[in-house]
Amino acid sequence: GQQVMQIPQYQHVQEGEDFTTYCNSSTTLSNIQWYKQRPGGHPVFLIQLVKSGEVKKQKRLTFQFGEAKKNSSLHITATQTTDVGTYFCGAAGNKLTFGGGTRVLVKP
Amino acid sequence: DAGVIQSPRHEVTEMGQEVTLRCKPISGHDYLFWYRQTMMRGLELLIYFNNNVPIDDSGMPEDRFSAKMPNASFSTLKIQPSEPRDSAVYFCASAKTGNTEAFFGQGTRLTVV
């Protein structure tokens, strides 16, 4: 089945700085979804990418799907304390499986 | 819609006891997923259903785990007998299709002592 790997596993970010988390697959993905899970909460859908090379933005979040549809990235600019949580990428296509997640901690 | 509803929110049980987790998906969603989340293993897909039919249960760890979906509005995940290593947060999620966003329930935090 489709498996995705995420790096880094942990990300300590100074408030106001930018960071990027990456999602990689050994196989071509039909599409990829990103979710955010706040501490103690449940995963909440952020966005889905379908097309090769697709780029989507949500305020300070920029999501990108690689040209080969084997990798994706989430870039957050000007990190805020509200960005704390774990970000998961998910390989969709009937079976929705997730990478290990990137746990983001923000230093004020 | 109230979203995906899971019960109980917390469950503490003794080793060897049977545990049943419940999930009510969002009405109209044809896909239902059960996940287990631990620090060590992350968010693991256990099983998923399409139109109440189990499609892939390859993530179910062992025969002690079973899942059913008797109708479109209800699913259960049963562990019998439970063991301490089953302690985790179990999430249920539903989606309209296999390629659309999944909505997660609040989860059930299971502790087996």
Side-chain angles (χ1 to χ4, degrees):
Chain A
Q2 295 175 330
Q3 288 191 341
V4 290
M5 304 294 290
Q6 276 185 263
I7 54 171
Q9 189 174 0
Y10 296 95
Q11 182 81 54
H12 293 245
V13 190
Q14 190 72 44
E15 189 174 13
E17 291 185 343
D18 302 353
F19 78 90
T20 304
T21 176
Y22 300 90
C23 182
N24 299 301
S25 171
S26 58
T27 60
T28 301
L29 303 171
S30 58
N31 63 62
I32 197 147
Q33 299 177 359
W34 285 90
Y35 291 75
K36 176 183 178 181
Q37 183 178 22
R38 294 184 184 275
H42 59 280
V44 175
F45 176 83
L46 293 176
I47 211 157
Q48 177 169 281
L49 304 171
V50 179
K51 299 177 183 177
S52 169
E54 188 171 14
V55 178
K56 288 188 177 180
K57 292 188 176 183
Q58 286 180 352
K59 298 182 179 178
R60 295 179 295 101
L61 278 60
T62 301
F63 303 85
Q64 187 167 2
F65 204 6
E67 292 291 338
K69 300 183 73 173
K70 289 185 176 182
N71 54 70
S72 180
S73 64
L74 161 57
H75 181 78
I76 300 182
T77 58
T79 304
Q80 299 176 359
T81 54
T82 53
D83 295 324
V84 165
T86 302
Y87 294 83
F88 292 96
C89 63
N94 293 328
K95 184 174 178 176
L96 178 58
T97 56
F98 290 94
T102 294
R103 186 175 176 186
V104 176
L105 302 172
V106 180
K107 294 177 283 187
Chain B
D1 200 315
V4 176
I5 300 173
Q6 289 187 247
S7 64
R9 291 291 309 277
H10 302 272
E11 176 80 31
V12 180
T13 190
E14 291 185 346
M15 181 174 62
Q17 296 297 307
E18 176 180 297
V19 175
T20 299
L21 311 181
R22 298 172 176 79
C23 175
K24 176 177 167 46
I26 292 174
S27 177
H29 282 191
D30 291 335
Y31 282 77
L32 185 140
F33 308 88
W34 280 101
Y35 294 91
R36 177 172 68 176
Q37 186 173 39
T38 60
M39 286 296 292
M40 291 296 294
R41 302 177 69 86
L43 198 56
E44 300 175 273
L45 176 65
L46 301 177
I47 185 172
Y48 80 94
F49 295 82
N50 179 23
N51 292 321
N52 314 337
V53 177
I55 304 300
D56 188 335
D57 65 354
S58 59
M60 297 285 260
E62 34 192 290
D63 292 344
R64 298 183 297 105
F65 286 69
S66 63
K68 294 182 180 180
M69 192 164 186
N71 57 63
S73 58
F74 184 65
S75 177
T76 59
L77 178 67
K78 185 178 293 186
I79 307 173
Q80 166 63 20
S82 59
E83 297 182 3
R85 60 192 168 122
D86 301 330
S87 298
V89 179
Y90 290 82
F91 286 105
C92 172
S94 71
K96 284 185 179 179
T97 74
N99 284 301
T100 53
E101 75 175 280
F103 293 81
F104 282 75
Q106 301 283 343
T108 294
R109 181 174 294 277
L110 173 65
T111 304
V112 183
V113 297

